[in-house]
Amino acid sequence: MHWLNWVIVIGWLAYVVTHGIRRSKGTSSTEGYFLANRSLPWWAVGLSVMATQLSAVTMIGTTGQGATDGMGFVQFYFGLPLAMVILGVTLVPFLHGAKVYTAYEYLERRFDAKTRSLTAFLFLVSRAMSCGTIIAAPAVVFSTIFGWPVAWSVALIGIPAVTYTIVGGVQAVTWVDVKQMFLIVGALLAVVITLLVKIPVSPSDALHVAGNAGRLRVFDFSFSLTNTYTFWSGLIGGTFLMLSYFGTDQSQVQRYLAAKSVDEARSSLLISAYWKIPLQALVLLVGVLVFVFYQYHPGPVLFNPAHERAVQRVAPAEYARIKARYVSSTVPFERAALRGEALALAGRITHQPTKDVNYIIPRFVLDNLPIGLAGLFIAAVIAAAMNAISGELMSLSTATVIDFYKRWVRSDAPDHHFVIVSRTATAFWGLFACVVATFAVNLGSLIEVVNRFGSFFYGSILGVFLLAMIPRARGLGAFFGLVAGMLTVGAVNFGEPSVSFLWHNVIGAVVVVAVGLPLSLLRE
Amino acid sequence: MRSTFKRTLFSVMSVQVITLVLLWILQHTYTP
């Protein structure tokens, strides 16, 4: 990459760390560190919530998915607006009004300590696993493209994010998220404009090319439990997933707990309700336009440079034959078939999943964007990773200190003791995430892995919060309902036929309520 | 509370319906 691009990347990192540290005023109490003294305006909280979700996986994996599969993934978010409205009148007033630090703390007030501890523990396990993946996704791609050890890329992303999170707490995380959100959206728009300029046909003709290759097929109305992204799984399964994610996941709940009032917390979620689907459509459109671009400019057959080198070394003649036919072909379906052939060849030679989809956009950016813009996009990918990881670290640290350390180990220490423990916990989880990321090279499809870890527990935890809003539900019912929900999701996940993960949330939540409520009534 | 919910629900779902219709038009205009 050109040195000017590196200046932009390093300059941005220096800016966000400085900005985050400057925003650390008032974080010398636990309420200041974890909840910014409940003082944040709705628009900052709302942008921060969106920024936490928009990880580097979105910038690299989802855009790549747009290029290979088209716009269908946007269906995943169809349930989000409805979920935001439901949360605005249910869990948000409950949690904000209860003046709690974590969503799980509320469960002890409503049920008992064991339900709180189990849900907090499940959160820690699932998030600890996924926070490594969040850094690993871009780190592996950067390492392959720039030829670095993975640890360097992990350090490039992890050190700045962990630094401003330790020092400034939720306040720094939120304000850095706001700045980085503008960078990310700006970089995506700049790439779209560049693509429209570089594609040698009109935008309408470009969309016809994409449409002819099936890349603009958004809706799949088939009612299938095994297809991952359909209209119905997005609308029904997606609503449950988003209810669980925004209503019970500490990384999201913590943001709106930091809002000035219940109304501001509610308004912050509506930003996602209005803008999430258009933003995801923009992300996928970047991938679709990159696909069109490569119909007019011969691109690499294999985008993963490490695999391309391996194939050229082991089977040079076969790869040269595929490449020659690929470059001379003008028919999208034929090119797709040739790419499939090359991917299969790479898989046979490297004995690894090719994960080529994650390299399409980075390769396009570095090979085709003008100097400066490429640096801006790489900075935006790092920014997206930092947004996601800083939110996760903050929530892991809060659950560790509030739900375990303060609840079970030391409840009577002075406040400044908990601030020190909180900063130490943030540093520990930051180090943990970086170590996991360094060794998480082969974790399967990046998008699916992150979502799968979450959905395994999400639905069941949502079920417990649904029970909490039913007056006659009791602690014992909630606890055993939660266990039954998780066992059922486990059975569905590992059984046959394999049910798409978006349905796990529906199944988990329904089982928890179906088991927990009768048990509660029996105990009365 | 109930009227706020209804107003918000109407406004959010209206925007979603418009977005989905635009996506549907995009699909049907360009996909053969």
Side-chain angles (χ1 to χ4, degrees):
Chain A
M1 194 161 76
H2 193 275
W3 65 268
L4 205 60
N5 288 327
W6 282 120
V7 169
I8 291 171
V9 172
I10 301 299
W12 181 261
L13 292 178
Y15 166 69
V16 292
V17 172
T18 318
H19 183 67
I21 292 172
R22 279 178 52 209
R23 287 281 184 175
S24 63
K25 201 175 161 195
T27 56
S28 52
S29 66
T30 42
E31 193 169 36
Y33 188 69
F34 286 139
L35 296 176
N37 296 311
R38 302 180 202 268
S39 65
L40 297 174
W42 64 272
W43 56 271
V45 174
L47 287 173
S48 178
V49 162
M50 282 188 85
T52 302
Q53 274 190 41
L54 207 156
S55 71
V57 175
T58 315
M59 300 291 284
I60 296 172
T62 310
T63 44
Q65 207 169 352
T68 55
D69 302 331
M71 304 276 289
F73 180 65
V74 77
Q75 295 174 110
F76 180 78
Y77 294 95
F78 282 177
L80 189 144
L82 182 61
M84 296 295 99
V85 179
I86 294 172
L87 286 174
V89 290
T90 53
L91 278 174
V92 172
F94 264 103
L95 295 173
H96 202 281
K99 299 283 172 206
V100 288
Y101 282 79
T102 72
Y104 320 110
E105 195 182 349
Y106 171 73
L107 290 180
E108 180 168 7
R109 290 194 199 168
R110 176 65 183 82
F111 294 128
D112 49 32
K114 65 177 182 299
T115 307
R116 171 190 184 176
S117 298
L118 180 58
T119 48
F121 175 74
L122 291 176
F123 167 75
L124 286 184
V125 171
S126 59
R127 280 295 141 190
M129 284 195 281
S130 68
C131 71
T133 323
I134 291 168
I135 303 183
V140 169
V141 172
F142 284 168
S143 301
T144 310
I145 285 182
F146 297 124
W148 300 338
V150 174
W152 289 18
S153 305
V154 170
L156 183 75
I157 299 163
I159 290 174
V162 175
T163 305
Y164 71 73
T165 310
I166 291 174
V167 177
V170 157
Q171 200 160 284
V173 169
T174 304
W175 289 113
V176 168
D177 281 357
V178 170
K179 304 291 184 303
Q180 303 213 105
M181 195 63 197
F182 284 108
L183 171 76
I184 291 164
V185 175
L188 286 171
L189 288 173
V191 173
V192 168
I193 292 166
T194 312
L195 276 161
L196 290 176
V197 170
K198 288 205 165 202
I199 292 171
V201 291
S202 70
S204 174
D205 287 344
L207 289 174
H208 273 295
V209 171
N212 284 335
R215 297 301 193 277
L216 295 179
R217 193 165 287 129
V218 177
F219 297 95
D220 174 357
F221 287 107
S222 65
F223 197 90
S224 161
L225 291 179
T226 49
N227 275 9
T228 307
Y229 306 119
T230 67
F231 180 82
W232 302 111
S233 73
L235 200 64
I236 303 168
T239 302
F240 275 77
L241 174 63
M242 299 308 167
L243 281 173
S244 318
Y245 183 50
F246 287 95
T248 72
D249 188 301
Q250 181 62 18
S251 67
Q252 300 301 314
V253 173
Q254 189 158 13
R255 301 310 165 80
Y256 55 77
L257 288 181
K260 282 178 191 168
S261 64
V262 175
D263 279 342
E264 298 240 349
R266 204 178 272 146
S267 303
S268 71
L269 287 185
L270 291 181
I271 293 186
S272 292
Y274 289 119
W275 290 105
K276 187 66 187 177
I277 295 176
L279 184 65
Q280 283 300 322
L282 173 70
V283 168
L284 288 165
L285 188 66
V286 170
V288 170
L289 290 176
V290 167
F291 163 78
V292 177
F293 174 86
Y294 280 126
Q295 302 308 306
Y296 295 98
H297 303 81
V301 191
L302 291 172
F303 286 88
N304 183 335
H307 286 190
E308 193 177 27
R309 281 193 297 273
V311 171
Q312 275 171 336
R313 196 174 55 245
V314 177
E318 196 175 350
Y319 186 63
R321 179 186 61 80
I322 296 172
K323 199 171 176 180
R325 284 178 59 201
Y326 183 82
V327 171
S328 62
S329 170
T330 52
V331 185
F333 292 109
E334 194 187 351
R335 288 165 72 101
L338 287 164
R339 228 175 87 71
E341 228 179 285
L343 289 170
L345 180 65
R348 281 200 305 277
I349 288 170
T350 59
H351 303 292
Q352 288 172 353
T354 54
K355 297 178 190 167
D356 206 62
V357 67
N358 297 319
Y359 293 85
I360 296 174
I361 303 303
R363 281 289 292 271
F364 165 78
V365 164
L366 294 175
D367 295 346
N368 298 289
L369 287 195
I371 293 170
L373 203 52
L376 197 72
F377 191 87
I378 297 296
V381 174
I382 297 174
M386 291 198 296
N387 286 347
I389 196 65
S390 58
E392 302 294 357
L393 291 182
M394 213 53 245
S395 58
L396 283 168
S397 156
T398 314
T400 308
V401 175
I402 301 293
D403 291 317
F404 290 100
Y405 184 78
K406 195 172 179 181
R407 175 65 182 80
W408 298 106
V409 182
R410 268 192 82 174
S411 55
D412 56 349
D415 195 57
H416 73 264
H417 170 79
F418 291 115
V419 176
I420 295 168
V421 174
S422 306
R423 291 203 157 100
T424 312
T426 310
F428 166 78
W429 284 117
L431 187 66
F432 179 85
C434 289
V435 170
V436 169
T438 308
F439 295 102
V441 179
N442 293 311
L443 274 180
S445 168
L446 300 170
I447 301 168
E448 299 258 334
V449 166
V450 171
N451 288 327
R452 195 175 289 271
F453 279 142
S455 76
F456 203 83
F457 305 113
Y458 271 164
S460 307
I461 295 178
L462 174 67
V464 177
F465 279 88
L466 291 177
L467 275 179
M469 283 183 286
I470 301 173
R472 294 179 73 180
R474 297 287 176 269
L476 193 79
F479 183 78
F480 285 106
L482 174 59
V483 173
M486 283 175 357
L487 289 175
T488 310
V489 173
V492 168
N493 189 53
F494 295 112
E496 288 291 335
S498 169
V499 175
S500 156
F501 72 90
L502 268 173
W503 292 104
H504 291 176
N505 304 287
V506 186
I507 295 166
V510 168
V511 169
V512 172
V513 176
V515 173
L517 195 56
L519 264 181
S520 302
L521 296 177
L522 274 177
R523 289 281 296 176
E524 275 186 356
Chain B
M1 173 75 99
R2 186 164 289 179
S3 67
T4 312
F5 172 69
K6 277 187 182 167
R7 220 173 31 246
T8 315
L9 182 66
F10 180 76
S11 146
V12 167
M13 295 323 284
S14 303
V15 172
Q16 182 171 16
V17 168
I18 292 167
T19 312
L20 295 191
V21 168
L22 288 175
L23 287 170
W24 193 84
I25 291 171
L26 179 75
Q27 173 174 323
H28 280 265
T29 309
Y30 295 106
T31 305

